[in-house]
Amino acid sequence: MKYTINLKHIIILCVVLLAVNTIGAQEIIEDEVKKEEVIKKVDSVDTSNAFKVDGVAAVVGDFIVLESDIQKEKDQIKASGGSIEGVEDCELFGLMLERKLYAHHAIQDSLPVSDAEVRKNVDYQIQQFLQQTNGSMKRLLEFYNKDDEQSFRDEMFEINKSNLLAQRMQAKIVEEVEITPEEVRAFFNKIPEDERPNFGTELKVAQIVAEPKVSDEENQKIINRLKQFKADIIEKGASFRSKAVLYSQDPGSASRGGKYTLNKKQPKMVKEFRQVAFALQEGEVSEPFKTEYGYHIITLEKIRGQEYDVAHILLTPQVSSEAIQEAKERLEKVRERIVAGDISFADAAREVSDEKETRSDGGQLINPTTQDYNFELTRMDPELYAQIQNLKDEEVSLVLREEDRTGGQKFKLLTVTDRIDEHQADYARDYLKIKGLALEEKKIRAIEKWQDEKIIDTYVKISKEHKGCDFSGNWLKK
C-alpha cells in the first residue's frame, strides 16, 4: 500500500521532528521588533556577507529559521536515534516551516504552554543529556558549543516552547476529527488488493495474579511512623524536607526533599494523591493516606494559580516472607486445578486473581496501545514476550515471580487464549487497525487543509537560496 507507507513515513518524521528538541538558533522574534526590521534582515541574505555565515533562511509569522538550523536539525535527529535517510534538505526545511506555522498560530489562538511546563521539559532533557556525558556539564556544553549552562538552558527553553506550541496547535486541528464506518470501508476498498498491508502474528494473553498481603500490624506501624513525622514537624519545628531526604522511599523525589509541582489542569499523580494535595491549605500537613505506592503525608508549600508546590514522604509497608510463600503456594494450587480440568483459566481468574483490572474479564490483558485484547508479537513488551514465547495455545505457565514498579513482589500464571498468524489485512478481522489508518489519513488531510489556508493568511518570507525547493505546501505563494 504505497500511499499508506508514504503517509506513515510522513507521520513518523513529523513526530520525530516535533519531539526532538534541536539545540540551534531558532528563536521567537520579540514583540518590540518591528516586522520591517525582520524583512530587512531577510532581504539582506542575498547581499550581506554578515548573513552568508548564518543568514535568515525564512520568516514565518513571528518566527525565523536560520540557515544553520537545517544542519543542526539533521544532527539532532541523528543524535536522538532517528534516521533522515532519503529525506532531502528541502523536505526537512519544509517540515521546519510547518512547525513554525503551528507555533505562530498557537500563540495567536492563545493555546496554553506554561513556563513551568517548559522548564520541566528542559530539566528532564538536560538530565538525559548528562547521562550521555557521564554527568559532565562541561562536556555537554562543549558538545553543543555553548559558553555556560544558563545560555544553554535559555536556548533550550525557547526551542522547547516553540515545539510545545506546535504540538498544541496540531492537536487542536485534529481534536474533533472523527471517522464513520462508511469512511473506513471506503478507505479500505480503495486500496488495491495487492497493496493491502500485512499484519503480524497477534496473541491474546490472560493472567492470574497473587499479591502477598501486608499484615495489619505492618500497615499500622507505617501509619504511626508517619504520624510521628507530622508531630515532629508541627510541634517540634522539624523540617519536612529533611525528613523526606532521610526517610522517604520515593526514589523520584527523596533527593529533592519530596518536592513535586502539581497542575490542576494536567493531572499526573495518582488520584488519591491529587485529592489530598488539592484539599490542603498552604503550610498544612496531611494525615497519612494510602495509594498503590504505599502510605504518604503531604505538605502544601505554595499555590501559584493552577500549580501547587507540594512535598511528600512515602513509606512502603514490608511484606513478610511467610506472606510471600503463601501467595506462591496459592497460585501453585490454582494451576493444579486448571491443568486437571477442574476449573477453566478464566473462571479461576475471576475467583482468585488479586488484579482487579483483569479479574472480572477472566484475566484477559488489554493492550495499552490499541485498547483491545490483541498483542502484535513484534511489538509486545519484551518481558511479557519472554514469559509467553514458548507457551502453546491454552497451555498454563509455571508460577512466575515478578517485581512491580514499587519493588513489591507478586506471582502470576499466564496463558495464550488465542493466536492469529501473520496475514494480509482483512476488513472484518482487522477493523480497528484499518480504522486507525483511515483516521490518521483523515487527520493528515485536515492538517493539510488548515496549513494551506494559514500559509495564505500568514506573513511568510523564504530566502533566495531556498526558493528552488519543491515544497509540499504553498510556501512560495505561487
Side-chain angles (χ1 to χ4, degrees), residues 405-443:
R405 55 188 173 181
T406 66
Q409 297 182 49
K410 62 182 178 181
F411 298 92
K412 65 182 183 180
L413 298 172
L414 288 166
T415 189
V416 175
T417 61
D418 191 19
R419 184 186 304 266
I420 303 174
D421 293 328
E422 182 177 355
H423 61 283
Q424 189 180 55
D426 176 86
Y427 182 77
R429 176 187 291 176
D430 302 305
Y431 177 79
L432 289 177
K433 293 186 182 65
I434 295 166
K435 179 182 178 182
L437 290 174
L439 181 59
E440 285 305 314
E441 184 189 56
K442 190 172 181 180
K443 287 180 178 180

Side-chain angles (χ1 to χ4, degrees), residues 202-243:
E202 294 178 338
L203 306 177
K204 292 182 179 179
V205 182
Q207 68 181 21
I208 301 173
V209 176
E211 297 179 356
K213 301 295 188 290
V214 177
S215 67
D216 292 340
E217 292 78 12
E218 175 66 12
N219 283 328
Q220 192 59 50
K221 174 184 171 184
I222 293 296
I223 292 170
N224 291 341
R225 194 174 186 206
L226 288 172
K227 285 183 175 181
Q228 186 58 55
F229 287 165
K230 178 178 180 178
D232 291 344
I233 293 162
I234 294 175
E235 298 171 12
K236 300 179 181 179
S239 166
F240 193 105
R241 291 284 191 90
S242 296
K243 293 276 189 186

Side-chain angles (χ1 to χ4, degrees), residues 82-217:
S83 173
I84 56 171
E85 184 178 354
V87 180
E88 301 293 334
D89 283 0
C90 281
E91 184 179 359
L92 186 63
F93 182 53
L95 290 167
M96 294 170 69
L97 297 179
E98 290 176 16
R99 287 216 319 267
K100 297 307 176 189
L101 183 70
Y102 299 139
H104 170 74
H105 284 282
I107 293 173
Q108 303 304 307
D109 292 355
S110 301
L111 298 186
V113 172
S114 70
D115 287 355
E117 181 182 6
V118 179
R119 283 193 294 269
K120 184 177 180 180
N121 278 4
V122 171
D123 289 343
Y124 174 77
Q125 289 160 9
I126 288 179
Q127 290 303 314
Q128 296 298 109
F129 292 157
L130 286 173
Q131 290 181 19
Q132 307 301 317
T133 61
N134 294 321
S136 171
M137 178 60 72
K138 181 180 178 182
R139 287 178 58 195
L140 180 61
L141 295 176
E142 288 173 352
F143 180 81
Y144 285 107
N145 195 28
K146 298 300 173 188
D147 295 329
D148 57 74
E149 181 179 347
Q150 189 56 51
S151 64
F152 181 51
R153 284 181 175 274
D154 290 345
E155 190 164 20
M156 285 186 66
F157 181 92
E158 295 302 332
I159 295 165
N160 267 269
K161 188 165 187 176
S162 174
N163 287 342
L164 283 170
L165 285 166
Q167 291 173 27
R168 296 284 194 277
M169 191 69 248
Q170 270 200 328
K172 182 181 178 182
I173 295 167
V174 301
E175 67 182 354
E176 295 183 0
V177 175
E178 297 179 345
I179 196 157
T180 66
E182 291 77 13
E183 289 174 313
V184 177
R185 182 176 290 279
F187 170 84
F188 182 74
N189 287 338
K190 75 180 180 182
I191 305 172
E193 189 170 343
D194 61 346
E195 293 184 16
R196 289 175 182 171
N198 287 326
F199 295 129
T201 300
E202 294 178 338
L203 306 177
K204 292 182 179 179
V205 182
Q207 68 181 21
I208 301 173
V209 176
E211 297 179 356
K213 301 295 188 290
V214 177
S215 67
D216 292 340
E217 292 78 12

